[in-house]
Amino acid sequence: SGWNMDLILQSVGLYDIVKIGIPDSILNKPAKLSYLETETMRNHVDIGVDVITKIMNETEENEFLHHALAIAGSHHERWDGKGYPKGLSGEEIPLEARLMAIVVTYDELISWQPYKKTYTHEEAAKVIEEGSGTRFEPGLVDVFFYMEREFREITQKYLLK
């Protein structure tokens, strides 16, 4: 309530723009990442926060960027506090980022990557269900399942061609 949903939807597009600071050799690696490469990938969150903060300092319009900053900086946090970069838990994690964590996980699971199995909608939904209370906020997992049919339809329409 009170959010401008158009701004939220526009902000979502910036959540991973921060990967511009990650070498292509890591982003495009067709195999599992090493420990060092994984740590380098985790830096994309800090890079994103820095980039968006610099943009915010140069502009007067910050509502859109405020949402983008919350998403970029916290979409890898976990409900149980075992995420990164800050180890936030529960409602310490901005709501935008808690929502995005579910969407990003779903997208990563169902999308083809050369280094992993591509999950079906049902398999991805099961991963999200199993993450309720640990990775994801239980109430938002309930919302995902309330809207599951729409996720399935979008997946079938756009990704399974």
Side-chain angles (χ1 to χ4, degrees):
S1 175
W3 278 357
N4 179 330
M5 291 310 294
D6 290 334
L7 289 179
I8 295 290
L9 293 173
Q10 292 169 14
S11 300
V12 165
L14 291 179
Y15 89 94
D16 249 355
I17 196 170
V18 298
K19 287 185 180 174
I20 58 173
I22 304 299
D24 286 343
S25 61
I26 294 175
L27 288 174
N28 300 323
K29 185 176 179 180
K32 188 172 177 156
L33 299 178
S34 69
Y35 174 80
L36 184 58
E37 290 166 332
T38 299
E39 289 303 307
T40 300
M41 273 297 290
R42 285 183 171 210
N43 288 335
H44 82 278
V45 173
D46 295 329
I47 293 167
V49 167
D50 289 344
V51 168
I52 294 170
T53 299
K54 287 177 184 173
I55 295 169
M56 288 174 77
N57 291 337
E58 298 295 323
T59 183
E60 293 179 20
E61 175 52 52
N62 283 338
E63 185 178 357
F64 162 77
L65 293 170
H66 174 76
H67 294 297
L69 183 64
I71 293 167
S74 300
H75 69 279
H76 286 293
E77 299 289 358
R78 291 174 44 123
W79 185 252
D80 62 8
K82 295 180 181 176
Y84 68 91
K86 296 180 180 174
L88 301 176
S89 66
E91 292 185 5
E92 293 176 321
I93 305 165
L95 178 57
E96 303 97 310
R98 288 182 271 154
L99 288 164
M100 196 64 180
I102 294 173
V103 173
V104 167
T105 299
Y106 180 82
D107 180 58
E108 288 175 353
L109 291 170
I110 64 166
S111 298
W112 181 85
Q113 297 292 330
Y115 56 86
K116 71 160 190 70
K117 169 191 171 203
T118 301
Y119 284 60
T120 65
H121 166 80
E122 290 73 22
E123 292 168 325
K126 183 164 179 58
V127 169
I128 291 169
E129 180 179 38
E130 290 170 351
S132 181
T134 54
R135 287 178 73 178
F136 311 116
E137 176 181 349
L140 294 180
V141 170
D142 291 345
V143 171
F144 170 82
F145 281 101
Y146 178 77
M147 301 192 64
E148 181 184 6
R149 189 177 94 233
E150 286 88 347
F151 275 84
R152 181 184 293 113
E153 289 171 1
I154 291 168
T155 299
Q156 290 172 342
K157 184 174 182 179
Y158 295 104
L159 297 176
L160 300 178
K161 290 185 176 188

